[in-house]
Amino acid sequence: MTEAILIMLTLGGVCGAVLSIASKVFYVYEDPRIAQIEYYTAGANCGGCGYAGCSAAAVAVINGKASPNVCVVGDAESAASIAEIMGLDAGSVESAISYNTCKGGERKEEKFSYIGVATCKAASSLYGGKNVCGVGCIGMGDCVKACNFDAIKIGEETIPVIDSNKCVGCGACVKACPKNILSVKTMSERLLEFNNIDGKLAPCSQTCPAEINIPKYISQIIKGDYQGAVNTIRERNPLLLSCGRVCPHPCETYCRRGIVDDSVSINQLKRFVADYEMNSGKRFPITCAPDTGEKVAVIGGGPAGLSCAYFLRRLGHSVTIFEAMPTLGGIIKYGIPEYRLPKKVLDWEIEGIVNLGIEVKTDTKLGRDVDLQSLFASDFKAVFLGIGAWNDYALGIDGENLKGSWKGINFLSSVANGRKITIKEKKAAVVGGGNSAIDCVRTLVRKGAKEVYIVYRRTRKEMPANEVEIIAAEHEGIKFVFLAAPTKVIGNKNGEITHLEYLTMELGEPDASGRRRPVPIEGSETTLEIDMLITAIGQSPDISFIDKDSDLKELKTTRWKTIDNDPLILQANLPYIFTAGDCATGPSLVVDAIGGGRRAARSIHLYLTQAEEEESENKIEPVENALYKKHIPESIFETLEGVVKKPRVTMPELPVEERIKTMDEVDLVISEKEALTEADRCLDCCRICYNKETTETQA
Amino acid sequence: MAKSIAYEFGKGLWKEIPPFRLVLGLCPVLAVTTSLQNGVGMGLATTFVLVCSNILVSMLRKVIPSKVRIACFIIIIATFVTVVELLMQAYAYTLYLQLGIFIPLIVVNCLVLGRAEAFAYKNPIIHSLSDGLGMGIGFTLSLGALGAVREIIGSGELLGYSVFGSSFKPFTFLIEAPGAFVCLGLMLAIMNLASKK
Amino acid sequence: MREMIKMVLVLTILSSFSGGLLAALKNGTQEKIEYQELQNVKGPAIEKILEGCENDPIVDRFKVADGEQERSFFVGIFDGKPKSIAFETYGKGFAGKVGVIVGVNLEDGSMLGAQVTTHNETPGVGSKAQDDPSFVSQFANKTVTDSFGVKPDGGNIDAIAGATITSRGVCMAVTEAGEIYKRLKPEIVKQLEKFNK
Amino acid sequence: MIKQKKLIVSHAPFIHNGSKISIKNYHIMLAALPALLAGIYYYGIQAVGVIGLSISFSVFWELAFNLIAKSEKRIGDGSSAVIGVVFAMMLPATAPWWIILIGTFVAIIIGREIFGGIGSNPFNPAVLGIAIIALSWKEYFDFNQALINFDMDFNMFYPLAALKSFGASSISSISVFDLMLGKQAGAIGAVFGIGIIIGGLYLIAKGIIRWEICFSFIAGIFLTSMTFAMFAPTTYAGPFFHLFTGYTLLGIFFLSPEDSSSPVNKMPMILYGLGCGILTILIRNIGVYADGILYAILIMNIINPLIDKIKPKAFGKV
Amino acid sequence: MLKKPCFNLTKHKLEYESVKEFSSSILEVPLSEKSILFFDVSQEVEIKPDDPLSVKQDDLLKTGEKFLPFKDKSSKYLTSSVTGKISSINTFQSDYGKKYISITVNKEKEEIVCDKFSKKSKEPTIANASEFLSCIPGGISENILSNTGEIKTLFVCGTDNDLFSVTNQYIVSSKIESLKKGIEILKNITGIDNIILVVNKYLEQTALNAEIKTEVINSEYPSSLPKLIVKELLNMELPQDKSFIDIGVDFISAEAVAAITQAYNTGKVPVDKIITFVKKDGYKLLAKARIGTPIKNLCAACDTAIDNNDRLIIGGPMTGSAIYTDDYPILNNTDAVIVQAADNISRTSDYPCINCGTCVMACPARLSVNILVRYLEAGLYEIADDEYDLSACIECGLCSYVCISQIPIFQYIKLGKYELAKIKAKAAEEVDD
Amino acid sequence: MGDYILLAVSCILVNNILLAQYLGNCPFLGTSKKMETAIGMAMAVIFVLVLAGTITWITDTYLLKKFGLEYLRTIAFILVIASLVQFVEMFLKKSIPALYAGLGIFLPLITTNCAVMGACLINIKEEYTFIEALVSSFSYAVGFGLALILFAGVRERVLIARVPKPLQDTSIALVVAGMIALAFYAFKGMA
């Protein structure tokens, strides 16, 4: 007994001593993080990560060659722990799974029969593969073979189907695919993804300024996955309720179905799912990447600012919105009348965005309440300017400032703010042909104006306002005065407006914009009897703050008083300033501002995350091969075979008699059944393939 | 964070059943599974060591410095292995003879050390206990299954009783060393096939 | 330094603790183990050789020093007299040692029989030496002090088919037994007196 | 838009010399015919049964595996049938049906299919099959015992077993010519030496098996057995005896040159053949087994991937 | 010729075609309504197919007129082979990352021959040759035209690279004088002294009679592949990491040499190409067509209808490439066009390698094709290169030709090389970062 | 001398530690996917096993047997081996980094390699003398290395074959190991 204890004591002691001395004598410095990271890997030495064992993988993480989620077996927890050790941007820790972006499958057409090595790589190296579509799936299943987790199979339509339960997002399939139809992206990467000229994109998606994946959400609607559809839209557009109401949907112009009959009512479908969420009584959760600790100031709480703040927040940055007005919303709050976009709806939507953890400072104006100095002092690293365009252009004619004369935006926001304006029984004229002009006239009608004119210097065909809006205005009894250029406002001695004098025009040669330039007819002066005049001929940003802020002296502007920026990366000449929305582009669509906000968010994200590495170079790389505001020529068809005509769902709206009395919402949401019918009209287009409808399947 | 105790126990029985899923501790698996009895005996011995060492490691995990943790684990495991060895000599001598050198070699069974390192050192006692128990039982089941297959086909008997009658000519290949490898390999494949569905 | 001391300390305490524990356990089980060992390894062979004896040969055993070694002898009491003894010798087999128990009738020096105890031979071939009674039965009733060999070597024992080496090993062991018997006979007789009640 | 004609696109070359696996396999079966016919002549209808069962079971197992694994069915190429034929050549005429069933299972499924089918097996499937069943049921491969019921006009015994047990003197009475004619106990296709040689030469001439392996195999046997015989002529037999007994010739012409488990470069082929020959005699002379061909080939199969790394310097390689 | 002999102790033999077996008449293919000019943009790293071109639709091109599609970025030019207006400009993706700009020209009624060359080239000089003649039939390498003095030996190939084709042999047999003169011109303008005509045994006598410096090579495929010509005539194997120019060797086809003579004789840039045409039934004939003529016009002129599931091959049967559209034009290096009927097409199979070793015996580059192909099948291109010498392959296609499993080995090898190049490029990029 | 050669042959081929004694299978399967790794591991095992065999023999003979503490063999041996391996690893890492890169990285795998421990125990069980223990340790290690390298060669080929999915990797490797064990029957009776 004693012997045993003694022997073991000696043995243990000797071994312990030898080891501890040896560890001192033979000490070699090794990054302590290697051991720590290895501790968190699964320890199975499975090789799934592509490194020779867990220890090698740990070294790769330390050297920055692998990301914290290198271990494909380990769960999110271990990845988070590793990221913590590395002190890395934890944004990349989010779990990712593989997505198939090609919808070709069986409907794709082939240009030849292929004999030979049955792998996608081999097939694609001969003339890009047998498909007519140069970018689509080849369908020989290289991805299936590459997957170590049995998560991919070639589905019935001969395109890969991914089992999201088994996929670990290792990316082996992405590497195997010669056509890049698979993508493994984290949420952050997906949020920052931009349409690409090599993309598998339907014409509608190419057109949408916010780059929403339209076919995807429509097919989700068909499947009844409304939440999925909402999430799909939210990856690109946080303001889906608003856009569903006010977006002029340029996407529908390019809808292939429109070649045969009417385009799919894409925006209605968006509105349908957006309203579905709102009416469902709960908010679908929105996930955000872990906090990065970087602070960004967003100046302006309009669509661009909200969009930018939303994406930055989802990328994990801390965002503060500074809004000059008492509430957020900007132009869509103050410039779009209640009957088009009820304030209740907008507030609900903005609340959802702010709830992600965005700090809001209202009644705070740049140049008045804050300046760059104070922002930098509060640790803001980048500034987004989304201040909109709030200065109405003046007509520049006599009598413009008489009593009863308004500026468009000013008028609309006054109405929105509930200021008392006497409109009842007034005769009003609105100068301009854009959407704000129409908004003004329709507001006037609802506020009880007796007669409402719209005075526009070209013809109806050239009116930039949305067609539906014009039609609605016509229905509501607006009188249109075309080819009229106001020359003078005539007032009485009280300084009140009595008449508007204008010249009649005729159309001349087309100008640079392709519209025929109006030429005044000499001596055709006519007067119109009015007592209220609203000029809505366009706006420019209010950039008065530049002069008030010494730090902003250098900020370049354009001759339209917009802030000059790189049109692709939206960085101003001061590297920490990014702009988007109307203040950068001049008055434009809401959805343009939203898309701009997202692009700015990407740039800011890169600016913040790259800044440490390359202090000297603040230039951000533009998105490679971006399809910004372009179309892929081969995807634009002129004829379409195999499509059976089906009528478009008509949008329900309030009857004219009712709607002109109140500011209630005019356009109503379509029913679920109608939404499904409409969604079913979608041809589920990809770049060049689409679902052919045969009469047989209809029967 | 911590998963349920039932989960820790259950995973050893199917999801991570050693040595089929966690390919650890192969040597005894191959060597002693010439019969069901040997397989189960070895499995139980391993289970005992696994559970005890898991508990002790988990208890002492705050005390053991991480640099000498492997040495400490080994001492703990070796102690329990010797306990098993002595007990087996005293009360199950025939089995001890059959298992031979593989009893002391439990100490280097990667399964035991692996669980201590990968689980017990990071988890509380109860979890470690259920993990050890689950893994141990899973290991025993695997060994038993392999032993049964080899015994039935390789010698036509199970637990000493003739299965197919005397006219059966046993496929003795399975009892021999190469047979052990092949049999385990094929069983592994069947497990893979089964778990795919 | 502090950490180093802690490492050494933990390791030392742990190992000495385990040493103590094991020593205690060993003390507690020693008796049992020794009995088990004899009972299981040599028991069946001794029983067969000393068939019909009135005592438990494993209990009635004595040790005789043979040079540096100590050899155990098991006593078989027939008709109330310690007439026979059995003891173990080793020969070299196909794969390692082959243990053979040889029983000798002290009265005429004839062999009661020989039985293989421990071996590592190929199952089904060399193992027949233990399982197949026809081979070992050749030794019965031969004089122990003879020299034995297999027939291919010009000896007098039929080798097991396919297991010449094993057979040779057994013969070697039996031959050695004869030599030991010759060498130690006086001492054995002296010891046997004790059992002569 | 006028529809473009759909042409076939494939990769160069656009012509092929027309060789086919099935033709190759039929040639191998043809080459086995002389030896098999002799076996049938000696052992009668029983031998026909064994051969027939062996071929059909082999094909059956491959088909069964293809059905279960849902892989492409390729039994038409005759490769399983070849394994069946070679397997049958190594069986005694008295082999019971179940041994053939299990043996072909081992050969086809474990020896080949689970490695990925034709071309992927690292070991010769037929050798593996025989080795495993001979290990399990020795009594059926003890040719003296197995063929005890055959009454022949010559002294019927298995020469290698005699050599192993009683030394070279016991076989001194046997003439090499008798052995060549098949006047010995042995497997169906292994006794008629001349037949096997004819078949083997035919295969070499057709370019189906590689002469380097065969000739170096023979060289290995000659070298080693002569060395042994020189030192102890009474214990060890001479080269011609070794060449014409047991599976030797079968090993030389039908087993060792099996495509998938043998090397293809010149030097490795010679090493491989030599190795087979040397090991065969080593096992026969100092090992426990009477016939060493099977294990010699298995050992060389294992070494094959290593020695096949010896290859000529590639074009323009510095 | 393509039959396997009954007993084959030796390896398979494939003999080159002899021009003497052809009827001497040559078929003239009429000028097509539309011609297509291909401009290779895959080699030029900085040029992308969607970069703006310096020519546009409706530009008029004259016969023999040269134009630079990417004026600002590259000095490479194209020679128009017809007179006509550009009707469309597209990109064409060929195999293994090759990309062309295809310029379709609609034929004008009247042919106008561009006279820039005749004005500038009274005397042959290297300057006017490189300015106008890089697109002549048969092609001529930039190294010859740039005249850097690196080339010590220039081989004039009077042999055809691939089986079936006899284009260059035809030139040797019918235009030997022109060839002789062309060699003189080349000697003068490039200063390369050692210009050797390479022929096989069929034309040995013709060449000797003309008293041109000649070497005769083996008439067995693939001995007229450039690397093997160097091996046979200079007795050296081109080291893997070196190009021909590194060892002072270059090649020019006999057709190109004859074209040079023609150019300086007539003052016009030659635009006619000699093509060996193989019909569906294997009947071979020689045709002469403008560069840029679509294959379908060639086929029509040769009375061959293309049907569904036929195979249309540009180049020889061993190294050519199958095309998917008969709108594909004849290029200046299109020596042969083969049409195979649907029921006469050799198929490939997805049988695994059975390790028979026939390919190893056939391989002139001494590769372990049997193992190589397994690594390539598994997509392990780096191991295939490091351990099994993927890049030593000289691309003759014999391995696939003899493969008993009918594995498309050659395709695997080409794909492997292509993918390997991509991997290496990516690695190099990462190193740069 | 002849005895030692016989012992060596027996330990390398006939009683091969991997294929006949089933010891050290985890690293056998783990490090045999690539030839390079296999060679590295083989060298590491040879190196460590010779050292371990010697030290454990000394420990057993002069420490445990002397005090009649054979039952502490397991714990003593493993402690000694583990410390030895760790010591060697640290030593190599510091002093001979080149060797460490080729061989040292396998050392952690050896701690739990039952081939090492098993061979040491066999040395004691068979009551070898010191020289015999040395020879057998070395030979066992060589046998391990030989089997490992041969196995790696075959496995490299199997890795690129079209093995059915359920059989891939470990499963087929075990079958191959079985076949190699079978082939090693060739050496039966040679020592």
Side-chain angles (χ1 to χ4, degrees), chain A residues 220 224-234 273 276 282-285:
Chain A
Q220 280 167 323
D225 179 12
Y226 302 137
Q227 180 169 356
V230 167
N231 285 337
T232 303
I233 300 169
R234 281 230 170 96
V273 286
Y276 177 88
K282 60 171 197 282
R283 288 179 191 275
F284 298 151

Side-chain angles (χ1 to χ4, degrees), chain C residues 5 24 50 76 84 86 95 102 113 149:
Chain C
I5 292 173
L50 302 179
S84 316
V102 179

Side-chain angles (χ1 to χ4, degrees), chain A residues 337-342 442 446 654 658-668:
Chain A
E338 175 85 17
Y339 65 88
R340 277 179 70 200
L341 176 59
R442 293 184 70 189
R446 281 163 179 73
L654 283 180
E658 271 182 48
R659 73 192 195 206
I660 57 170
K661 286 178 201 150
T662 64
M663 288 297 269
D664 286 353
E665 195 172 8
V666 174
D667 300 338
L668 303 176

Side-chain angles (χ1 to χ4, degrees), chain A residues 114-127:
Chain A
Y114 169 77
I115 299 179
V117 175
T119 63
C120 303
K121 270 209 172 104
S124 73
S125 62
L126 292 179
Y127 310 112

